[in-house]
Amino acid sequence: MRTDADYAAELDRADPLAQFRERFYLPEGGLYFDGNSLGLLSRDAEAAVLRMLDEWKTLGIEGWLGAPNPWYYLGESLGKLSAPLLGAEPDEVVVTGTTTTNLHALVATFYQPTGARRKIVATALDFPSDLYALRSQIALRGGDPAADLILVGSRDGRTVEEEDLIAALDGTTALLLLPSVLYRSGQLFDLARLTRAAHERGAIIGLDCCHSIGAIPHHFDDWGVDFACWCNYKYLNNGPGGTAGLYVNRRHFGRTPGLAGWWGSHKERQFDMATGFDGAPDAGAWQISTIQTLSAAPLQGSLAIFAEAGIAAVREKSLRLTRYLIDLIEATGLTAAPYGYGIGTPRDEARRGGHVAVEHAEGPQIVRALKVRGVVPDFRPPNVIRLAPIALYTSYSDVWQLVRHLRAIIDGREHEAFAATRDLVA
Ligand SMILES: *Cc1c(COP(=O)(O)O)cnc(C)c1O
């Protein structure tokens, strides 16, 4: 492959998504590779927040019904705009809450241990918050988390084999709860296959799509997934702690939510203030509290960008960027001595999410040296430097520069100046 900077510039000139870069605030003179953890602010999202502030300023409480995009229906209207990213119908998606609270609300509904069918199957490489939620849900049902939560292990410490997940499913499985993409290695699961396997064994399947929404197309309805949740602040650029989303397959509409709140009421009757819960006939029923309008507002701008760019084009460029990053690291000798970088992400495109896990024994020190050089990666213990080139705002030339920095740090032994500790927020 060509490893020269001119080639990167050629790829940039041929990039059909290149014009979206100027819609984002990029760090001046720096390189941002952490959009898988916190996506950058777009001008569109900024304008949407300012619009929301202005509505509050001028309309006060009248904004609930009187704003151009009435706040009362904001969770539903943003759900409708999110639906194409998920392969869902508009009424199966709602923007509400946060990832972990949505996961709680969904598991509290769909985890119904009965008889011998009491186990939840997840992976040993899951994002910790999901495991904390699953254990507490088992305990709330009177179960024993140590016995009822089955964590399927990894053979190589990076990935989990689908065969192993499927082998863990049997007549005792009530729920299979999986991330679409593993947060550390970036492994993408075959979600159609796993959904089929769960259903064949009589289990419910729920997905956490934090690391795939906005990076990868989903086909929830075609796959037949039962429920899903995700955050919007990673690849969807909704801002730190921004409002999250959930999906409920329409075959479950009408079920009583496990964690009910008034915002899940039928919209026409919510303000009747009846003492009995009268739920919305769709996924809206799983909302708990009043929509956080200021934390949801950026999505209005962000989703407009995705509608313009198209998720298929985003995925195509994302795969090219991650492939380019992996190939460049290998072709320039960085996986050999004295550099010692490793690639922890599957090479197979069907198994790769939106980021690349670059492994190095001195990962924390290298991350610090990268930051001094104006490059923003993140770090996940024990040795993973996560690097996410983002289709909407990262160029091939950025990736080329990044690889140059990875080499220069080792050449100059710059990382040796730092202690082997990570920042509090890494
Ligand atoms: C980012 C992420 C979370 C974060 O949860 P919050 O409730 O938004 O703090 C949870 N689960 C996974 C898999 C994630 O990637």
Side-chain angles (χ1 to χ4, degrees):
M1 78 172 283
R2 280 179 61 187
T3 59
D4 55 309
D6 287 347
Y7 181 56
E10 275 173 36
L11 293 173
D12 284 330
R13 280 195 294 278
D15 172 12
L17 296 183
Q19 81 274 14
F20 286 97
R21 181 177 171 93
E22 63 195 34
R23 303 265 282 269
F24 288 85
Y25 289 97
L26 297 162
E28 257 178 66
L31 294 173
Y32 195 77
F33 280 94
D34 209 5
N36 59 316
S37 207
L38 179 64
L40 291 177
L41 175 66
S42 64
R43 290 171 210 285
D44 306 63
E46 177 185 49
V49 176
L50 294 175
R51 226 167 29 239
M52 180 64 70
L53 277 173
D54 197 58
E55 288 169 9
W56 177 23
K57 194 190 292 176
T58 55
L59 298 172
I61 199 162
E62 297 300 328
W64 286 109
L65 292 175
N69 190 349
W71 311 337
Y72 188 52
Y73 301 104
L74 191 56
E76 288 79 5
S77 66
L78 288 171
K80 184 174 168 186
L81 295 173
S82 306
L85 300 179
L86 301 158
E89 290 179 51
D91 58 353
E92 292 175 309
V93 183
V94 68
V95 165
T96 183
T98 62
T99 312
T100 310
T101 56
N102 288 345
L103 182 60
H104 271 295
L106 292 163
V107 174
T109 307
F110 294 103
Y111 174 54
Q112 297 287 346
T114 30
R117 212 182 259 287
R118 326 192 51 82
K119 298 200 192 301
I120 300 181
V121 173
T123 94
L125 299 183
D126 277 11
F127 193 89
S129 195
D130 297 34
L131 298 181
Y132 306 159
L134 294 177
R135 288 200 192 96
S136 58
Q137 287 293 331
I138 290 170
L140 282 168
R141 295 281 180 175
D144 172 8
D148 292 343
L149 179 61
I150 307 294
L151 297 183
V152 176
S154 168
R155 300 185 196 182
D156 65 356
R158 303 178 178 98
T159 56
V160 177
E161 295 300 323
E162 279 142 18
E163 283 90 77
D164 294 346
L165 284 165
I166 293 169
L169 305 173
D170 58 26
T172 67
T173 313
L175 170 66
L176 173 62
L177 195 290
L178 290 177
S180 46
V181 171
L182 289 176
Y183 77 97
R184 194 162 27 206
S185 68
Q187 178 195 359
L188 167 64
F189 287 116
D190 182 341
L191 301 167
R193 177 183 181 201
L194 292 167
T195 301
R196 242 180 355 258
H199 287 165
E200 278 166 13
R201 288 156 187 80
I204 292 268
I205 179 165
L207 301 177
D208 181 329
C209 293
C210 279
H211 280 280
S212 57
I213 187 157
I216 294 165
H218 303 72
H219 305 283
F220 286 168
D221 285 348
D222 289 349
W223 297 335
V225 171
D226 292 287
F227 68 86
C229 62
W230 55 88
C231 61
N232 287 317
Y233 50 75
K234 291 171 180 163
Y235 293 93
L236 272 191
N237 313 312
N238 184 40
T243 308
L246 65 80
Y247 161 91
V248 175
N249 191 298
R250 63 185 328 103
R251 69 175 167 271
H252 298 303
F253 285 2
R255 282 181 74 146
T256 303
L259 299 181
W262 82 312
W263 215 257
S265 298
H266 194 292
K267 291 300 228 196
E268 303 289 314
R269 300 190 284 272
Q270 180 172 336
F271 277 81
D272 290 354
M273 299 304 214
T275 51
F277 180 73
D278 177 11
D282 49 28
W286 278 268
Q287 296 170 95
I288 298 173
S289 291
T290 307
I291 177 119
Q292 303 105 312
T293 56
L294 289 170
S295 299
L299 257 190
Q300 292 178 328
S302 189
L303 289 171
I305 295 180
F306 277 87
E308 249 180 84
I311 188 66
V314 166
R315 173 61 168 162
E316 193 182 328
K317 181 177 172 190
S318 164
L319 280 172
R320 284 184 189 195
L321 283 165
T322 49
R323 162 65 57 198
Y324 182 57
L325 173 55
I326 292 169
D327 286 351
L328 208 49
I329 286 173
E330 291 182 336
T332 58
L334 295 191
T335 52
Y339 301 103
Y341 291 102
I343 304 295
T345 299
R347 307 289 203 285
D348 177 0
E349 301 205 333
R351 299 181 73 215
R352 190 162 85 242
H355 73 267
V356 176
V358 173
E359 300 174 349
H360 197 286
E362 291 162 294
Q365 297 96 312
I366 289 168
V367 163
R368 286 176 187 270
L370 280 168
K371 287 187 179 174
V372 169
R373 284 176 162 266
V375 181
V376 183
D378 72 17
F379 178 74
R380 290 292 176 266
N383 64 342
V384 175
I385 303 165
R386 291 193 310 182
L387 298 166
I390 304 297
L392 290 171
Y393 54 78
T394 306
S395 67
Y396 294 90
S397 297
D398 290 343
V399 173
W400 190 88
Q401 295 280 353
L402 166 67
V403 173
R404 199 178 54 87
H405 287 299
L406 289 172
R407 164 182 290 273
I409 285 167
I410 304 289
D411 283 342
R413 300 170 64 159
E414 293 170 23
H415 58 298
E416 292 177 8
F418 300 98
T421 55
R422 56 171 174 78
D423 286 335
L424 215 46
V425 175

